[in-house]
Amino acid sequence: MSHQNSNHSNSSAVDDKLLKAQSIPVQGDKSFRRSAISENLVTLCYEDVTTAYEGFLRGLKISENLPCLGKRGKKVAAFQWQTYTEIHQRATNVGSGLVQLGCSPSQKTFIGIYASNCVEWVLTDLACQMYSMVPVPIYDTHGPDACVYIINHADVETIVCHETKVAFLMANAERSPNLKNIVKIGNEVTDKERREAKSHGLEIVTFAQLEQMGVNNYHARKPAKPEDIFTICYTSGTTGTPKGAMISHKNITATLAGVNAVYSQGRLDVRKDDSYLSYLPLAHIYERMAMIFLFTGGARIGFYRGDPKLLIEDVQELKPTIFAAVPRILNRVYDKVMSQISESKFKKWLFGRALNSKEHDLKKNVSRGNTLWDYVVFKKIQKLFGGNLRMVTCGAASLSPKVMMFFKCSLGKCLVLEGYGQTECSGVCSLQIPYDLTAGHVGSPLPCNLVKLMDVPEKGYYAKDGKGEVCIKGPNVFIGYLKDPEKTAETIDQDGWLHTGDVGEFLENGTLRIIDRSKHIFKLAQGEYVAPEKIENTLIRSQYVEQAFVHGEGLKTYVVAIVVPDGEALKQLAKENQIEGDITLFCKNKEIREIVFQDIMKRCKEAQLNSFEKVKAIHLHPEPFSVENGLLTPTLKAKRVVILKHFREHIDKLYHEADTKLKLIRSQSEVNINLQIDQEKLK
């Protein structure tokens, strides 16, 4: 198949040199590296952007009063936009209103934000930046006890919340003695709400009233300084109570500088004609950093309607140029596409040809968006995301190289970049450079931080062998945990290294690959250490598996798994085997469970897992793990302790079932051995 001129190819000597050595050993130590882009750690993207608010001011200046924030109404299909000037004025009104409400414009004032992504969320955030206050996001699905804990732990006196959260705050008012003010996003305050608030000694106003208070009582802005706290971002945590990570404006601007330095290598700087759909939780630093970065470039940001089922509709209406993704979203799209293609042998053959051709180009470091494959095979996938994408970023969890390569091939001229980081390093510490078209790694260290691998002896990882815990040092590393010096000391060592808990290795070209997790491990009866996430990533490669939770116990020699099947794949499987029912009945069907189990075994074999890593029994569960049912954190990580408790009865049954099966196998083995002995005697 012929190709036209490529949209992007690497021909310069500088690019080739950087591709082959994307990070540089520090002090001759190959396990201790810096970015090859900059010899010194960068701290500022622009001289006039030393805080997040100054980043917004830059966008205000260069946008020429273009659209800033937009949303769709329930009946209005098109996005309705407000300009940078309008948003800046409204945020000033909100900040003045907070001061008038009694909030001191200082670092001692913590403002809670308890709502899903919306214009009011961003206005409150900007208002805090303008008046040196500290926003404290509260995850919409943290759970009641954790929410109350955050309110009390951060001494939050004022909360801006969605109207659906008012009842919860009222019901827990006695447990939140420091709370004084509730600002309601949505409808007017009801007489009942007003009476209840008064009975608890609370003041309640609507967001519109707060803005009007600011209009009537202007207070001069008192912007935060670089060293001030930008936010207290409570990590959702898979165990224990949330920890409040204190992130400064310096941390934010250093991360912006590091990311921008990488993007600039491929001329991916944010432009004022860029558009972005906000759907990942703003309470998570990943989305927050994306928004600040977009503001700095004067881009426009539209909010999705809050319903995951309508996300694709919102994407297609906005037609974004930049899209931030998490593996769960990309995996779902990949699985659906592959499932549809498998229905036709011709489609499967044609799609395979297209992928092979595009992947062949990518391996030669050539990215094209105008091939016949793009027009004939991949057009629908590109249109699924609106058809205007020029960049997709992926983070928050590990993504299969196979899925990453699928999107690099199918999204045409759009560059798909994977990064790695965590809240404690302001969201990101490594990122793929734009013209590295390979998959299977998370790029090289950002120019704003160093990365070092340190020994994890209990799992057999040693830096001298090129593998170890990923540790980060630089101006993007957070200040510490609020009111928790012990946890801070556990996370940041005496030399200033942030310990991530992830195990990585540097590849030959200087990029980082995450290979394991040092914290989520358990030891089996025979003394073998097992990393469940490694096995789970293998299991979800089965066409029938959407999610998996692997568990092992110290008195057992093997692991078992709770599996959430892919609904569409299971329906197709049931149809092929003439099994009737719904997803719940399919999960209970022994024939279906055995087919899924055998496919999982096939994936385990392909991944060359050790015998003790291969699951011996599975339970099919019809309902996905989600933030709503409390089994996932807001960043879509498994709450392992909670899941274990939730499925304890099923796990016990799996062990009983597997033990019975293994005993039967051993017994049969002994019978066979005895028969062989008897036959030998007869001879």
Side-chain angles (χ1 to χ4, degrees), residues 630-650:
L631 301 181
L632 296 183
T633 71
T635 55
L636 305 181
K637 294 183 178 69
K639 288 186 175 180
R640 307 200 71 85
V641 173
V642 178
I643 293 176
L644 176 59
K645 184 178 179 181
H646 185 82
F647 290 101
R648 183 73 262 182
E649 186 178 337
H650 290 295

Side-chain angles (χ1 to χ4, degrees), residues 85-262:
T85 301
E86 289 170 330
I87 292 299
H88 187 245
Q89 185 57 58
R90 287 190 67 188
T92 301
N93 296 340
V94 171
S96 290
L98 288 171
V99 175
Q100 189 64 26
L101 199 61
C103 302
S104 171
S106 74
Q107 286 278 288
K108 293 181 180 179
T109 302
F110 291 178
I111 305 295
I113 308 178
Y114 192 11
S116 54
N117 299 18
C118 60
V119 173
E120 292 83 358
W121 206 112
V122 178
L123 291 174
T124 305
D125 195 24
L126 284 170
C128 288
Q129 297 168 31
M130 291 177 174
Y131 290 86
S132 297
M133 301 177 195
V134 181
V136 181
I138 300 170
Y139 283 106
D140 189 41
T141 45
H142 245 142
D145 291 336
C147 289
V148 172
Y149 172 84
I150 291 169
I151 292 167
N152 293 331
H153 187 258
D155 299 317
V156 171
E157 295 184 356
T158 300
I159 287 184
V160 176
C161 71
H162 191 268
E163 59 187 358
T164 57
K165 304 303 172 189
V166 172
F168 168 81
L169 293 173
M170 295 293 191
N172 288 277
E174 299 301 322
R175 299 171 62 195
S176 313
N178 293 325
L179 189 60
K180 295 179 181 178
N181 305 305
I182 295 175
V183 179
K184 179 185 178 183
I185 300 171
N187 295 321
E188 293 295 318
V189 175
T190 65
D191 290 338
K192 180 183 177 183
E193 288 172 339
R194 194 173 284 107
R195 286 194 303 270
E196 195 169 355
K198 188 175 181 180
S199 71
H200 294 300
L202 296 171
E203 177 81 13
I204 182 168
V205 297
T206 65
F207 197 88
Q209 288 173 327
L210 180 72
E211 284 190 74
Q212 192 58 48
M213 288 168 64
V215 171
N216 298 337
N217 304 276
Y218 172 74
H219 291 270
R221 300 185 195 96
K222 187 184 175 184
K225 299 183 288 295
E227 60 272 16
D228 286 345
I229 296 173
F230 162 67
T231 190
I232 304 293
C233 195
Y234 277 84
T235 59
S236 46
T238 53
T239 60
T241 54
K243 296 173 290 186
M246 297 182 288
I247 300 172
S248 71
H249 283 270
K250 274 187 176 180
N251 295 150
I252 296 300
T253 56
T255 305
L256 285 176
V259 170
N260 189 64
V262 175

Side-chain angles (χ1 to χ4, degrees), residues 592-619:
I592 286 180
R593 187 171 68 147
E594 182 59 26
I595 293 172
V596 174
F597 179 74
Q598 291 304 325
D599 194 66
I600 284 174
M601 289 297 97
K602 180 182 175 183
R603 306 301 169 184
C604 290
K605 186 177 180 180
E606 289 172 355
Q608 298 182 327
L609 296 186
N610 293 310
S611 176
F612 59 84
E613 293 177 306
K614 296 175 182 176
V615 295
K616 298 298 186 287
I618 62 169
H619 167 73

Side-chain angles (χ1 to χ4, degrees), residues 275-482:
S275 56
Y276 175 87
L277 185 75
S278 176
Y279 71 97
L280 296 173
L282 267 170
H284 180 34
I285 198 66
Y286 180 25
E287 182 74 355
R288 202 98 162 272
M289 282 300 310
M291 190 161 287
I292 295 169
F293 194 69
L294 289 154
F295 280 154
T296 305
R300 59 192 175 109
I301 300 166
F303 294 100
Y304 89 121
R305 285 172 288 177
D307 186 347
K309 294 178 182 177
L310 302 176
L311 177 61
I312 294 299
E313 285 184 22
D314 292 335
V315 170
Q316 291 171 346
E317 173 62 28
L318 183 62
K319 297 178 175 58
T321 59
I322 298 173
F323 188 78
V326 290
R328 190 179 180 192
I329 297 291
L330 298 184
N331 282 332
R332 279 193 169 186
V333 173
Y334 171 82
D335 290 339
K336 298 303 178 191
V337 170
M338 299 310 287
S339 176
Q340 290 174 10
I341 288 164
S342 65
E343 294 174 1
S344 163
K345 288 184 178 179
F346 175 72
K347 282 183 180 180
K348 191 173 182 180
W349 171 82
L350 185 65
F351 202 84
R353 282 287 306 275
L355 278 179
N356 288 336
S357 176
K358 295 281 282 189
E359 189 169 348
H360 180 71
D361 279 352
L362 292 177
K363 286 179 179 178
K364 293 190 297 183
N365 222 47
V366 175
S367 174
R368 307 174 192 267
N370 54 4
T371 69
L372 185 58
W373 296 125
D374 289 291
Y375 296 119
V376 175
V377 178
F378 298 126
K379 201 69 176 177
K380 283 187 177 180
I381 299 174
Q382 293 167 18
K383 288 292 184 184
L384 192 68
F385 290 92
N388 286 341
L389 285 179
R390 68 184 186 93
M391 177 171 64
V392 170
T393 61
C394 184
S398 59
L399 181 68
S400 158
K402 185 177 181 180
V403 176
M404 172 59 86
M405 188 55 72
F406 167 86
F407 282 101
K408 283 180 180 284
C409 292
S410 63
L411 291 182
K413 64 182 179 180
C414 173
L415 291 173
V416 186
L417 310 175
E418 189 170 5
Y420 163 75
Q422 56 182 201
T423 302
E424 289 81 355
C425 64
S426 309
V428 59
C429 67
S430 74
L431 182 64
Q432 291 179 338
I433 57 176
Y435 45 79
D436 183 347
L437 305 178
T438 60
H441 60 85
V442 292
S444 53
L446 286 183
C448 64
N449 59 249
L450 305 169
V451 173
K452 189 175 185 178
L453 304 180
M454 296 192 184
D455 295 346
V456 187
E458 64 270 24
K459 295 201 71 178
Y461 293 120
Y462 295 94
K464 65 180 177 61
D465 300 326
K467 298 177 182 180
E469 182 183 14
V470 179
C471 298
I472 309 157
K473 191 175 187 179
N476 58 336
V477 172
F478 80 138
I479 300 169
Y481 296 116
L482 179 68

